[in-house]
Amino acid sequence: MNVIPCSIKTLKGLYDISGVEVGQHFYWQIGGLQIHAQVLITSWIVITILLGSVIIAVRNPQTIPTDGQNFFEYVLEFIRDLSKTQIGEEYGPWVPFIGTMFLFIFVSNWSGALLPWKIIQLPHGELAAPTNDINTTVALALLTSVAYFYAGLSKKGLSYFEKYIKPTPILLPINILEDFTKPLSLSFRLFGNILADELVVVVLVSLVPLVVPIPVMFLGLFTSGIQALIFATLAAAYIGESMEGHH
């Protein structure tokens, strides 16, 4: 007799975990600044996961790699190939930057999909993937934009700005606008896709039994990885473009 009430209670708990609170934030007041505390907390957790993985990877390297070392070497080789393909032969100094972007976004997205953040109660808002906050995606896009200009200026000096008046000065406003839209595009592409994926799961949980949204959640893991790959690929492509000096 108690089976049905228990089942309903269990499903209600799963529904609560899958819910999304929109427009609510948990703030910390630091000096005169208001900071989204939940984004900092989850970002620190992601950074801890990454640092812990690095420590494990370099703690005891072997000449003949073990399974764990093989995995980390494969990830490094993947990032190096990605950087080389998009940037060219001068890719070496940019591997750490592209790798950091890819791994941070990848682990952030997967943490949002796999970790039951809602179990941790906050006074306001809820914990979620860092990339689920527009401020995080804007910051990542601005870092990419700074790297983009730094790459061009470090290679060509002030002559880098000549590209804005080529092939004709008439294109100056369009070329400037293009550089400003690149970080905007990166930010909204990442934020929009992550938020849309979470909203789809919430709507499906509301409308149909839980067994249907579960495959969609696994699909979300795949698309989350793709979003990290797209962001890192475009960041590397922009850096390579600035070093080549053409659009």
Side-chain angles (χ1 to χ4, degrees):
M1 298 294 292
N2 293 328
V3 173
I4 294 177
C6 289
S7 299
I8 294 174
K9 186 176 181 181
T10 301
L11 289 174
K12 185 178 183 302
L14 291 171
Y15 174 80
D16 291 339
I17 289 175
S18 66
V20 174
E21 295 184 32
V22 179
Q24 299 186 31
H25 297 286
F26 175 45
Y27 293 106
W28 282 342
Q29 195 75 27
I30 300 179
L33 300 175
Q34 255 192 354
I35 297 174
H36 289 187
Q38 72 267 33
V39 178
L40 281 181
I41 294 170
T42 52
S43 295
W44 290 338
I45 292 173
V46 169
I47 292 170
T48 301
I49 293 172
L50 291 172
L51 288 177
S53 300
V54 170
I55 292 171
I56 293 172
V58 301
R59 183 179 55 182
N60 187 26
Q62 303 292 326
T63 306
I64 301 177
T66 59
D67 291 339
Q69 188 176 335
N70 270 328
F71 173 75
F72 288 113
E73 288 183 1
Y74 172 78
V75 172
L76 176 60
E77 193 65 29
F78 173 79
I79 294 170
R80 289 179 61 186
D81 288 343
L82 172 64
S83 303
K84 186 175 182 179
T85 301
Q86 299 299 326
I87 298 176
E89 294 301 323
E90 300 181 29
Y91 73 97
W94 294 102
V95 171
F97 178 79
I98 301 301
T100 300
M101 286 290 178
F102 173 76
L103 292 174
F104 180 81
I105 295 172
F106 185 89
V107 176
S108 294
N109 292 350
W110 272 49
S111 71
L114 294 176
L115 299 180
W117 293 114
K118 287 210 69 175
I119 292 176
I120 304 174
Q121 297 294 323
L122 297 178
H124 302 284
E126 64 181 18
L127 295 178
T131 45
N132 198 30
D133 190 290
I134 187 67
N135 298 291
T136 304
T137 60
V138 168
L140 294 173
L142 289 176
L143 281 174
T144 302
S145 188
V146 170
Y148 169 84
F149 285 109
Y150 173 79
L153 289 171
S154 63
K155 184 173 182 181
K156 300 187 176 183
L158 294 178
S159 62
Y160 165 77
F161 293 106
E162 292 178 358
K163 71 168 190 167
Y164 290 107
I165 56 175
K166 291 180 179 179
T168 170
I170 297 175
L171 295 177
L172 175 63
I174 297 176
N175 289 333
I176 294 175
L177 182 63
E178 180 184 359
D179 276 351
F180 276 99
T181 56
K182 283 176 180 175
L184 189 66
S185 172
L186 281 173
S187 173
F188 279 97
R189 179 185 288 109
L190 178 60
F191 173 73
N193 281 281
I194 299 303
L195 183 61
D197 180 64
E198 290 199 6
L199 291 177
V200 166
V201 172
V202 171
V203 171
L204 286 176
V205 170
S206 302
L207 298 178
V208 297
L210 191 65
V211 293
V212 177
I214 285 177
V216 179
M217 293 178 185
F218 284 110
L219 179 62
L221 292 177
F222 174 75
T223 56
S224 295
I226 294 297
Q227 287 304 315
L229 177 61
I230 291 173
F231 193 102
T233 301
L234 289 176
Y238 292 158
I239 291 171
E241 178 184 288
S242 71
M243 295 175 71
E244 291 175 2
H246 62 79
H247 295 274

